[in-house]
């Protein structure tokens, strides 16, 4: 059996392992084995120590290049998972309890939130959320 078949079989093993396991790592090692097998096929090289060294070199290069490629393609998304109040900024809501002395309540969907404002705002007025302040929403009246 030609040695290049062993490298190509090893690359197929790593590609299958990539499909079975989570993450994107074994694909790059499989690419290193594939390139080593192609070099062995085209040059007729059958020295195991030399091919193993080439495999390690190509695997490291492909892992580093793949890492650079993957991190470029995956933008870091802003999440509001633990900051639900920030999703309300810029939206308009109705005052359900008049804002007097800087505090009142507004209806947000099916809940009520504490609203804070520098000015008094009457009940049933429309307000826009401008910021979050802990568990309270800062609002201003819409004219």
């Amino acid at each position: 059996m030609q040695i290049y078949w062993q490298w190509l079989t090893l690359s197929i093993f790593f590609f299958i392992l990539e499909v079975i396991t989570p993450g994107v790592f074994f694909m790059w090692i499989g690419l290193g084995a594939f390139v080593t097998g192609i070099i062995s096929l085209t040059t007729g090289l059958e020295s195991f120590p030399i091919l193993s060294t080439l495999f390690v070199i190509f695997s490291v290069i492909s892992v580093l290049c793949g890492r650079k490629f993957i991190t470029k393609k995956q933008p870091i998304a802003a999440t509001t998972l633990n900051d639900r109040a920030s999703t309300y900024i810029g939206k308009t809501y109705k005052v359900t309890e008049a804002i007097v002395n800087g505090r009142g309540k507004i209806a947000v969907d099916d809940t009520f939130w504490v609203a804070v404002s520098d000015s008094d705002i009457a009940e049933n007025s429309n307000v826009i959320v401008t910021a979050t302040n802990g568990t309270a929403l800062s609002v201003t009246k819409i004219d």
Side-chain angles (χ1 to χ4, degrees):
M1 181 180 207
Q2 301 287 341
I3 197 163
Y4 69 87
W5 279 112
Q6 295 171 353
W7 289 105
L8 295 176
T9 304
L10 184 65
S11 72
I12 290 170
F13 169 76
F14 280 118
F15 290 139
I16 290 172
L17 196 59
E18 177 66 35
V19 171
I20 294 171
T21 59
V24 181
F25 179 72
F26 290 114
M27 175 176 64
W28 308 115
I29 305 296
L31 184 62
F34 180 76
V35 171
T36 304
I38 295 298
I39 287 175
S40 176
L41 173 67
T42 57
T43 63
L45 184 63
E46 292 193 4
S47 171
F48 185 75
I50 293 173
L51 290 174
S52 297
T53 304
L54 289 174
F55 168 67
V56 170
I57 291 169
F58 290 130
S59 294
V60 169
I61 290 171
S62 65
V63 166
L64 294 176
C65 291
R67 182 176 167 189
K68 189 174 184 179
F69 175 75
I70 292 296
T71 55
K72 267 189 183 175
K73 295 291 183 184
Q74 295 177 343
I76 298 172
T79 180
T80 57
L81 179 64
N82 293 320
D83 191 16
R84 187 173 113 189
S86 68
T87 62
Y88 302 136
I89 295 174
K91 296 183 180 174
T92 304
Y93 299 102
K94 191 170 286 288
V95 176
T96 56
E97 184 181 303
I99 299 174
V100 179
N101 294 327
R103 293 184 74 81
K105 290 190 178 178
I106 61 172
V108 178
D109 300 327
D110 61 345
T111 60
F112 298 99
W113 282 73
V114 173
V116 294
S117 177
D118 293 336
S119 59
D120 292 344
I121 302 174
E123 190 174 334
N124 292 325
S125 298
N126 289 325
V127 292
I128 188 166
V129 177
T130 56
T132 62
N133 186 5
T135 59
L137 300 175
S138 298
V139 297
T140 56
K141 184 176 181 179
I142 298 175
D143 295 326

